[in-house]
Amino acid sequence: MKKIAIVTNGILPLPAVKGGGAETLVQQLLDENEKQQKYKFIVYSVLDKQAVQAQKKYKYSQFMFVPHKQDNLLSKIKRFYNRKIYGIRTYPEPIDFKKIIKLIDKSNVDEIILENTIQPFISYTKKYDKKVWLHLHNDFINIELDNRYVNLIKNAVNKSAGIITVSNYIKHRVLELENVSSSKIKVLKNCTNLEIFRPLSFEEKNKYRAKYGIGQDEFAILFAGRISREKGVMQLLNVVENLNKKYSNIKTIIVGSSKSGTNNIDSYTSDVIAKIKKLGDKVKFTGYIKYKELGNVYNVADVAVFPAIWEEPAGLTIIEAMACKIPVVTTYSGGIVEYTDKNSSILCNKDERLEKELEENIIKIIKNKKLSNKIAENGYKKAKEYNLQKYYEEFCKIIDRNSES
């Protein structure tokens, strides 16, 4: 049985007791492996009391918990040195990646997967060579322009087993590095849990609508995701403000927080909350909601709106909404268009026309029930393509070196 080490970025724990997109995907992979029993996983995660309890159910995954790393003066000097000598802008390490190397050495693993963290990639490939995979959920490769850093990354990519990306968009961003072979970059599309994200019955929907203060005759708009500038939350609230002047029966629910697993309030979230207060009882802000409860919240909505104004790597929330058979309005952005299209959602431009197009298309959903149902049905069919079994199979092809993607 192949033994695989998974090294998390150290910010959120595994099992994913505090949420997180990448963390949830890893947990789903581990859950499916409990059924398939193909690999032995050793997961290196930040220490968390809830995670310690949650890991007890796993037979084919072992969890090694490492405390958060303190950012001391020596670490700051090393970061300064790396920046000046090698052109690498490094950040405080959430966990001690060097300590994890020592733990890995004791485990005799066949493969090492770095989950969405670029920080240890160079040092790990120097030591472990073609055992190392980097699983990129975000566009971390091209955040630096210093040639010294670029060369180090290119060398690491070419020495490693390869990079796994969540979309062709991220793959092409990696390939913007010169002299990197496309065969090194594998695309593993995200999946969602179709048992959690599914359409509820009419009676169940109304129960949850009542819980969130949505009447049967009211129209509910939903946003779910990280509360951050690039997600376009403020643009959506501007649109909602205009819609409330035209329609008296619209309610909006904003689900999420600036940091997964917490209700941490940063400056942008403060601005969002201030805007919501201005809109009164027409908008409800839930904050962070646990993953297992999210499917019920999606089912409250008549439309789910994800107005990304950056190049979204993939857009997991879009699959989740479609899986609940909720019509989606989103943007032409990064990897989003690989997960949905104009038949399974309504796509808007993310430029200066965004707010106008969002408003026009939400009104289309309000007025045209036939269109709403068509998009919801097509989205539901599309979401079924991103099931956990397929995700596991594609993962196996890549990790066993059988993939040509």
Side-chain angles (χ1 to χ4, degrees):
M1 182 179 288
K2 183 175 276 191
K3 194 182 289 187
I4 302 172
I6 294 180
V7 181
T8 69
N9 61 19
I11 298 171
L12 293 171
L14 272 168
V17 293
K18 292 185 176 175
E23 291 75 15
T24 298
L25 283 165
V26 174
Q27 181 172 319
Q28 290 180 155
L29 182 71
L30 302 181
D31 290 344
E32 185 64 20
N33 190 63
E34 290 295 301
K35 300 174 186 176
Q36 304 287 348
Q37 302 174 8
K38 186 168 182 180
Y39 306 113
K40 174 70 175 181
F41 287 104
I42 303 175
V43 181
Y44 298 89
S45 165
V46 66
L47 179 63
D48 179 272
K49 288 181 180 179
Q50 286 179 274
V52 170
Q53 291 300 313
Q55 58 94 27
K56 292 178 180 179
K57 70 176 185 178
Y58 291 92
K59 290 184 179 180
Y60 293 89
S61 292
Q62 177 186 358
F63 293 80
M64 306 290 285
F65 293 102
V66 181
H68 272 297
K69 185 179 179 182
Q70 298 300 313
D71 188 31
N72 55 32
L73 179 60
L74 181 59
S75 296
K76 292 176 182 177
I77 291 171
K78 284 181 178 178
R79 291 203 302 276
F80 178 80
Y81 178 84
N82 283 334
R83 180 62 180 165
K84 290 296 181 181
I85 303 301
Y86 296 110
I88 307 171
R89 182 183 289 122
T90 55
Y91 301 91
E93 290 186 354
I95 54 177
D96 192 335
F97 292 116
K98 285 186 178 179
K99 182 177 180 179
I100 291 173
I101 283 179
K102 293 178 182 178
L103 295 172
I104 289 173
D105 284 343
K106 295 177 182 178
S107 300
N108 192 29
V109 298
D110 301 293
E111 311 279 352
I112 301 167
I113 302 174
L114 302 177
E115 277 294 334
N116 209 33
T117 177
I118 195 73
Q119 281 176 282
F121 183 52
I122 294 169
S123 60
Y124 274 51
T125 50
K126 280 182 181 178
K127 181 173 178 62
Y128 298 112
D129 203 50
K130 287 184 165 48
K131 280 187 179 182
V132 179
W133 297 88
L134 174 61
H135 190 182
L136 276 181
H137 300 255
N138 292 92
D139 184 13
F140 289 146
I141 290 287
N142 284 287
I143 57 173
E144 287 278 3
L145 298 178
D146 192 294
N147 286 334
R148 294 166 295 179
Y149 167 83
V150 170
N151 288 331
L152 287 169
I153 285 292
K154 281 195 293 188
N155 289 337
V157 173
N158 289 325
K159 283 187 70 175
S160 70
I163 294 182
I164 303 169
T165 68
V166 296
S167 62
N168 281 297
Y169 166 73
I170 297 295
K171 175 177 179 175
H172 292 145
R173 286 287 288 153
V174 175
L175 289 174
E176 287 178 19
L177 295 172
E178 292 180 1
N179 302 317
V180 170
S181 171
S182 62
S183 64
K184 282 277 185 179
I185 320 299
K186 309 295 183 183
V187 178
L188 177 63
K189 292 284 183 73
N190 287 343
C191 70
T192 196
N193 189 324
L194 297 178
E195 293 179 3
I196 293 174
F197 298 98
R198 60 186 178 84
L200 297 182
S201 68
F202 180 77
E203 291 76 19
E204 288 176 303
K205 280 178 181 280
N206 282 335
K207 181 179 78 172
Y208 288 106
R209 283 173 72 93
K211 178 180 177 180
Y212 289 98
I214 310 294
Q216 289 190 32
D217 296 328
E218 290 181 309
F219 184 90
I221 299 170
L222 178 135
F223 167 88
R226 191 170 70 252
I227 306 301
S228 58
R229 196 173 307 278
E230 63 266 21
K231 299 291 185 178
V233 186
M234 196 63 80
Q235 285 81 354
L236 174 59
L237 291 174
N238 290 338
V239 170
V240 165
E241 186 173 22
N242 287 336
L243 287 170
N244 287 345
K245 294 172 184 176
K246 299 175 181 179
Y247 298 91
S248 60
N249 68 331
I250 290 179
K251 289 283 184 73
T252 303
I253 301 176
I254 305 295
V255 179
S257 63
S258 62
K259 183 180 178 183
S260 189
T262 72
N263 279 311
N264 180 58
I265 297 176
D266 60 8
S267 60
Y268 183 78
T269 306
S270 295
D271 292 342
V272 167
I273 291 172
K275 180 75 171 181
I276 288 171
K277 286 180 178 177
K278 180 183 174 184
L279 296 173
D281 63 0
K282 292 286 188 179
V283 182
K284 182 177 179 64
F285 177 55
T286 70
Y288 169 75
I289 288 180
K290 290 182 179 179
Y291 182 73
K292 287 186 177 180
E293 299 171 15
L294 273 176
N296 297 331
V297 183
Y298 278 110
N299 273 276
V300 165
D302 294 292
V303 64
V305 184
F306 306 105
I309 59 174
W310 68 324
E311 297 299 347
E312 185 78 52
L316 196 53
T317 50
I318 291 165
I319 311 172
E320 293 168 352
M322 293 192 304
C324 294
K325 206 181 277 191
I326 306 300
V328 166
V329 176
T330 186
T331 58
Y332 290 102
S333 167
I336 284 178
V337 292
E338 298 174 41
Y339 286 84
T340 188
D341 54 34
K342 62 183 181 181
N343 295 314
S344 54
S345 65
I346 295 179
L347 294 160
C348 305
N349 291 290
K350 64 180 190 299
D351 53 20
E352 68 279 356
R353 296 169 288 177
L354 175 61
E355 291 185 18
K356 182 175 182 291
E357 290 190 12
L358 284 175
E359 184 174 337
E360 289 173 350
N361 286 310
I362 292 171
I363 289 172
K364 283 181 184 177
I365 296 294
I366 294 171
K367 289 184 172 182
N368 191 336
K369 190 66 177 175
K370 185 177 179 181
L371 174 66
S372 174
N373 289 340
K374 179 184 175 183
I375 291 171
E377 187 63 44
N378 289 341
Y380 180 59
K381 291 176 183 175
K382 189 79 173 172
K384 285 186 174 182
E385 297 175 16
Y386 306 111
N387 61 77
L388 180 51
Q389 293 74 28
K390 183 178 178 181
Y391 184 79
Y392 186 84
E393 288 171 8
E394 293 302 314
F395 171 84
C396 293
K397 288 179 184 177
I398 291 171
I399 212 73
D400 293 335
R401 312 301 208 272
N402 296 325
S403 174
E404 299 300 324
S405 63

